[in-house]
Amino acid sequence: MNNTLVLPLIIPLLTAVILVFLQGRIHLQRWISGASGLANIAAAAYILYQVKTDGIQTLYMSGWAPPYGIVFVADMLAALLVLTTALIGTCCIVYSFRSIGEEREKHYYYPLLQFLLVGVMGSFLTGDIFNLFVCFEVMLISSYALIVHGGTKLQLRESLKYILINILSSALFVAAVAYLYGVTGALNMADLSVRVAEAGQGGILNVIAMLFMIVFALKAGLFLFFWLPGAYSAPPTAIRTIFAALLTKVGLYALLRTFTLIFYHDHSATHSWLGWMAGATMVLGAIGALAYKDVPRILNYNVVISVGFIVFGLVSANKDALDGAVFYLLHDMIGKALLFLLGGMIIAVAGTKKLSQMGGLIRSHPYLGWMFFVTVLAIAGIPPFSGFAGKLMIIRGGFAAENYLLATLSVASSLVVLYSLIRIFMAAFWGEESERAGGVMEERKSDYRFKLLCGAGLLVLVIAMGIGAEWVYGFVSEAGQTLIQPAIYIDAVLKE
Amino acid sequence: MKPNDVILKSVTQVAAVIILTFSIYLFMNGHHHPGGGFIGGLSMASAIVLLYLSFGIEKVRENIRVDFKKLAAIGVLIAIGTGMAGVVFGQPFLTQAFGYRDLPIFGTTELASALIFDTGVALAVIGTAVNIILSISEDR
């Protein structure tokens, strides 16, 4: 029993409820949500420390031992993701202070953001598949509200599609859980793993595994990502950032968890399909990233490519590849958050989304330019930065598992990522200064510096993760160990 | 021309009392019989909506001076509070306690802290349901 496990969930939940009472008082709302963000980072770091020193931590809700009650489990993977989420969440909250606008802040913006964090934290920590569904819904319903928040025409249109798709996939999720419960009679993930192993995965259990694959692929933007590029270009930068950094990653986490803990017996049936989907995701994402000439679309397709890449790590399913998938997942959450923040700032500075109308920003905004350049190198996986180690391990694992086609595709996709993002850099910062630039920002110099500082915070993390890769690997390797040996997880949950 | 709705208003005056009583009955019975916080809160919200329908929003707002958005938030706060109470006593989160007490009128009664959690659920349901109706009815 360890009640600290519930802190990452309770802190944002309590904050959200308190903020509802302070609707009109924007400054107080900012202070409280900032402070709760810091408290959340502290709690997450403490959990990570506990997991590192004492092994996997569990909390049996109301004292009911599994498989009868709901259990919260923090293994290394969950602890790392919770800490990353707390860092990104706090950064996005602080970024919103100067970017989101008073009209939105007055209408429950900060409470909604906190509820989103509740859902994400809960999804990472829970050890119960139906509780995972509930946390997904907490996250999704807040994201529905955030995507339409402000009510511009574009947001209304895109939110309609987004909500429809997610309601459909949630209904499928419930159906899949119902089938799984019908077959195994269990909902606790560790218990499910034991029962699936006893029954032997095959026949109906493979069908259920495929159903889960479809559900999580819809949520994570794996192959079934048709809703993503449109939906993620509608809301303002701060919201878009938190979506790109967290929402698809929760789907990825669910894929990683279910296909390493529960359905890992019949690779030819499930993992080969995942492999095809990952390959198709990388190819289609690359086509999208190359085809478009406006900033939000290019960034959105880059999210899609990285989803395919991480699932490739899951498909290879050896120690190297799973380590790489965890490392790259952590890097990608921070990196994409940084990329979207900077991308949003470029759009604000240039006054346009279109590459063809930008130009020459390096003279007026050198820091933004070079920060964006470093971010691009990190995302593409150039050695001193954080993207490199994860990519290397995934590709090495891929070659070891003899997935030559996918490994080649993923190397090629890195080139596409680099090209598509460098194109933004070249179009926006090099060349002649366009007449739109400059004037927009003159009166808001302090806002610009404030936002730049948020980006700098994340950039420091990206660089530190790259330089201290050896140190980070100590944690990641432990997470990978739990993924490759489900018995560790099961023993920790079902002990006694 | 204002329609004559004296029958509607008279029936509502009686029916609202019955519905409110029934909702409290449902709410209190949740532990051993069908009922509980959700259905109790929903039926109470339906009584309030009936009042809105027959007497008009302004009239009811003058008499029930409750901000339903905040009521929902208070409900969630109560639910979190009962969860945290377990933590304070060194038990896992959401631990519930119960015991038997001799009360003056009811005799020996089972008191469970789950009832407080249910109160939170009921308040959140009432707040949300009435708030949805009110938001839709405002034409802006």
Side-chain angles (χ1 to χ4, degrees), chain A residues 176-209:
Chain A
V177 171
Y179 285 134
L180 189 60
Y181 185 71
V183 173
T184 60
L187 288 173
N188 182 290
M189 289 195 215
D191 193 33
L192 271 173
S193 175
V194 173
R195 293 193 186 205
V196 168
E198 276 171 3
Q201 190 187 332
I204 184 79
L205 279 170
N206 270 341
V207 175
I208 295 169

Side-chain angles (χ1 to χ4, degrees), chain B residues 19-51:
Chain B
I19 299 172
L20 287 173
T21 318
F22 182 60
S23 71
I24 292 170
Y25 168 80
L26 279 174
F27 171 72
M28 298 299 286
N29 263 340
H31 210 73
H32 295 296
H33 302 282
F38 186 79
I39 189 68
L42 214 53
S43 50
M44 190 170 276
S46 74
I48 296 170
V49 170
L50 180 64
L51 288 176

